Structures are given as structure tokens and as C-alpha cells.
Amino acid sequence: MPENEPWEYSLYIPNDVRAVTVCRRTLRLILTMHGLICRVDVAELLATELVSNAVRHTKGPAALRVRWTPPGTLRIGAWDADPEPPEPPMTFDQATESEEGRGLALVRACSDLWGWQPLSRFGNRGKYVWCELEAA
């Protein structure tokens, strides 16, 4: 049974494609330990797409953020140091015919809500791309 108290984790990663696997496995462990194993498969897919975009399309460090808000909202997000907004997601029909660029189409299709916001802290700029899974 998921906990009734909110929690949040952040995993800061280098700009290295191997970090995507580290994030996916860390997310699986977090969700398992908090009794949310039923959400692991979809959450891993979403985190993989978000973190992959952060690592592949930017030059700086990135971070995976995972937050649980009772009674049942799981937010998964990726921060990166590039302030440029993400490319708008393709329609799912377009994405099935494309060689790349399907990540945000998958995020939009598999999550209940998604979005992005610009971030600025200590003179550094970046963005946070996130999605949410609601209680079933």
C-alpha cells in the first residue's frame, strides 16, 4: 500500500547516456520500496523518455525527480540546463512513422498530464519537463 505522506527524490546525473539506465533502475527501486510496484513499468518508460531527452539534446548535467503526493499522484520529471522549450510532441500517428522524436508523444500518450517549465536559479537557467500518473 502506498504511503499517505508525500515524498520526493532527486538524482543528479552527468551528461552520459549510461545515466538513463541508472535513472531507470533507481526509479524501480524507489517505487518498489514505497509500495508502488504496480506503476513501475509505465513510470520507467516515462522516465526513460524524459531523461533520454535531457541527456541527448543538452550539453550539461541533468536530474531525475520523482514525487509522490497523496492520495495518488506520481510526478516524474527531468531537469536539464538548457532553457529552450522541448519540441512539441508529434501526434501518435506521426510518431509511429518517424525514426526519432517519439519520446514526448509517448509521454503524452502514457501519462495523465505532462508539461514543462523554465527554471532559473543562482543565475543558471534550464527547464523541467514532467509528467504525472494519477491513482488508478
Side-chain angles (χ1 to χ4, degrees), residues 2 7 27-28 31-32 34-47 67-76 110 112 132-136:
W7 50 259
L27 176 63
R28 177 175 282 274
L31 296 180
T32 299
H34 283 283
L36 296 168
I37 192 72
C38 61
R39 298 184 188 213
V40 167
D41 293 335
V42 174
E44 279 185 323
L45 171 69
L46 297 170
R67 182 177 73 199
W68 172 257
T69 306
T73 302
L74 180 67
R75 178 176 277 204
I76 302 164
C110 296
D112 295 305
E132 290 183 349
L133 294 173
E134 296 294 331

Side-chain angles (χ1 to χ4, degrees), residues 44-133:
E44 279 185 323
L45 171 69
L46 297 170
T48 297
E49 295 302 333
L50 295 175
V51 173
S52 292
N53 284 346
V55 171
R56 290 180 57 220
H57 301 296
T58 68
K59 295 179 180 168
L64 169 69
R65 294 182 180 161
V66 184
R67 182 177 73 199
W68 172 257
T69 306
T73 302
L74 180 67
R75 178 176 277 204
I76 302 164
W79 166 84
D80 66 57
D82 184 354
E84 292 298 314
E87 290 291 323
M90 301 176 184
T91 65
F92 208 68
D93 291 336
Q94 291 171 324
T96 58
E97 297 176 14
S98 177
E99 291 285 322
E100 59 182 38
R102 295 179 285 226
L104 285 180
L106 283 170
V107 169
R108 182 173 65 182
C110 296
S111 65
D112 295 305
L113 186 65
W114 81 277
W116 78 278
Q117 61 198 64
L119 297 176
S120 180
R121 188 173 183 194
F122 305 121
N124 297 321
R125 297 176 59 201
K127 68 179 167 296
Y128 180 59
V129 183
W130 54 269
C131 63
E132 290 183 349
L133 294 173

